[in-house]
Amino acid sequence: MTVDPAVLKELGNLRSRLPELSGSVLATADGMVVAHDAHGIEPDSLAALAAAHLALARRFAHAVNHGELRESVVECDGGYITSYTAGSNALLTLVTTGGANLALVHLEARRAVRRLMKLLVLEPATPRPEIPMQAGPPTPLARRTPMATLQNTIRGR
């Protein structure tokens, strides 16, 4: 996959503006890496975990009727992992050290997401096909018990 050099430049600029940034990954919502600037961090694993985290965070937002998810923060002993939605099909995940100014991280990341969204041309999410409805009344499943498998002559005793 060829990555637009402007996307890589944006991730590099983000690193220069945030010295506490350990790595950044731009990924699709299903966990595929689009581009990364992650030295010492496995970008494929981070993209997959961030996509799973994004899906769960979206469910949280909808469960409490707070609208669409924009970003999520995970605070750890050693720093922060922040994820920002970039449209409906992508996300930007940043890993920073504990000394990071979280307000500045948010500010720079939000600006970067706006610029990246202009550069990204991702395929729209394809809706999954619906499971066809069964015609007619639903029939119960046959009961399979140990007694049902015995011969009639043995059961009658």
Side-chain angles (χ1 to χ4, degrees):
M1 173 172 92
T2 305
V3 178
D4 185 344
V7 171
L8 293 174
K9 183 178 179 190
E10 185 60 43
L11 294 181
N13 289 342
L14 193 57
R15 181 180 286 276
S16 67
R17 290 189 302 268
L18 297 171
E20 299 86 4
L21 184 64
S22 304
S24 59
V25 175
L26 179 65
T28 61
D30 58 355
M32 303 300 293
V33 175
V34 174
H36 70 87
D37 182 17
H39 305 287
I41 299 172
E42 177 56 42
D44 293 320
S45 297
L46 184 60
L49 289 168
H53 179 80
L54 175 76
L56 185 60
R58 279 184 170 155
R59 298 277 311 263
F60 271 130
H62 287 283
V64 296
N65 294 319
H66 276 359
E68 291 300 314
L69 178 76
R70 290 188 299 228
E71 56 197 47
S72 178
V73 178
V74 176
E75 183 177 0
C76 308
D77 289 339
Y80 302 97
I81 305 160
T82 54
S83 293
Y84 305 85
T85 58
S88 61
N89 297 327
L91 68 146
L92 174 66
T93 300
L94 307 179
V95 179
T96 58
T97 62
N101 177 339
L102 197 54
L104 183 60
V105 171
H106 286 320
L107 178 68
E108 292 296 341
R110 290 170 188 152
R111 289 176 177 169
V113 164
R114 284 193 295 275
R115 289 187 291 267
L116 287 168
M117 285 178 57
K118 293 176 185 174
L119 300 171
L120 291 177
V121 181
L122 295 175
E123 296 286 323
T126 55
R128 295 183 180 171
E130 293 293 321
I131 297 174
M133 295 299 293
Q134 185 178 6
T139 56
L141 296 174
R143 290 185 67 155
R144 299 286 298 178
T145 64
M147 290 301 291
T149 60
L150 294 176
Q151 299 171 356
N152 285 337
T153 58
I154 297 175
R155 275 193 298 194
R157 292 185 188 182

